[in-house]
Amino acid sequence: MAEPIWLYQFRLILIGDSTVGKSSLLRRFTDGKFIEYSDPTVGVDFFARLMEVEPGKRVKLQLWDTAGQERFRSITRSYYRNSVGAVLVYDVTNRKSFEHLESWWHEAKQHTMPHNMVFILVGHKIDLASEREVSQEEGQQFARTHDMSYLETSAKNAENVEKAFWQVTREIYELVEMGVINTEEGWEGVKSGMMPRSYSTIPLSAQQDNGGEKKCMCS
Ligand code: GDP
Ligand code: MG
């Protein structure tokens, strides 16, 4: 049987105040780039990347980038329900963004029920060491109280970016493997792997005839 290019697809959402660096984190993670003056996100943006969770086992990450501004919040809410993971981001040089974490966390919790959501807390922009307003201990404390992992990152120098996404992906992967989180009809949070090679062996004409539908390993 052909190996799937990915075993699971997880949908993650990035949340936190605007300008904390959510889009920059995603750009660094998916594209390896950093832009000093990036345009603010309008509504919701979408990124994707494969990640190896253990040797030979890949997960496809669908990453939803949200705008932090209040006027976009109603859009954001509709994306929580279909996510299995949330990256909660604040800016270590912006105390307000840290103080707002509690409300972001509550909002996510409220809109994901009855599904399980795996959170990771990310204290971002640590390259700006002299401007720091939130200590590492405070970040750690919030994460401990809310039962989530914690990492400090910089999109500018790429520090811990890979590790942060790996960490949350790995935690979700373990819960899926243990059967704590399951794929569900009508829920986009976790999907089972596609079989691209069996698909590519079907003649193109036949693919067009069946509307280009892909073969799926979904149980
Ligand atoms: P978002 O609104 O949360 O998506 O934030 P953006 O990704 O648009 O970033 C807001 C601003 O912070 C931009 O000017 C980025 O260049 C800057 N920024 C993002 N990440 C970092 C970082 O790790 N270090 C520094 N020094 N600046 C960053
Ligand atoms: Mg943005």
Side-chain angles (χ1 to χ4, degrees), residues 49-190:
R49 211 192 103 171
L50 287 171
M51 172 150 266
E52 203 166 63
V53 279
E54 57 180 295
K57 296 201 171 158
R58 280 180 300 252
V59 164
K60 183 179 175 186
L61 296 178
Q62 268 201 349
L63 302 149
W64 295 87
D65 186 17
T66 63
Q69 297 97 323
E70 190 56 42
R71 69 198 158 106
F72 294 121
R73 283 223 176 168
S74 61
I75 307 176
T76 309
R77 284 188 191 110
S78 62
Y79 286 86
Y80 286 126
R81 204 194 78 80
N82 279 303
S83 300
V84 67
V87 181
L88 187 51
V89 189
Y90 70 96
D91 173 353
V92 299
T93 73
N94 174 352
R95 179 121 213 129
K96 279 253 170 310
S97 73
F98 179 72
E99 287 165 4
H100 294 157
L101 286 177
E102 192 75 35
S103 91
W104 281 109
W105 182 78
H106 269 294
E107 185 172 82
K109 276 277 189 201
Q110 196 182 331
H111 290 91
T112 47
M113 286 199 282
H115 297 284
N116 274 317
M117 168 89 101
V118 176
F119 288 86
I120 185 170
L121 179 64
V122 167
H124 190 58
K125 304 194 189 179
I126 51 166
D127 57 284
L128 302 172
S130 63
E131 295 171 40
R132 190 190 270 269
E133 291 181 358
V134 185
S135 71
Q136 195 166 357
E137 290 68 32
E138 288 173 289
Q140 240 148 19
Q141 184 58 44
F142 183 95
R144 214 174 298 129
T145 311
H146 297 80
D147 195 26
M148 57 180 93
S149 299
Y150 172 63
L151 272 170
E152 292 200 336
T153 58
S154 164
K156 189 165 186 172
N157 63 24
E159 195 171 345
N160 279 346
V161 173
E162 194 75 18
K163 200 169 166 185
F165 286 100
W166 189 86
Q167 176 71 30
V168 65
T169 306
R170 180 73 209 197
E171 282 176 29
I172 297 164
Y173 174 69
E174 281 168 13
L175 291 171
V176 171
E177 289 284 285
M178 286 191 291
V180 177
I181 297 176
N182 297 294
T183 56
E184 272 173 53
E185 193 71 32
W187 182 56
E188 299 293 318
V190 177

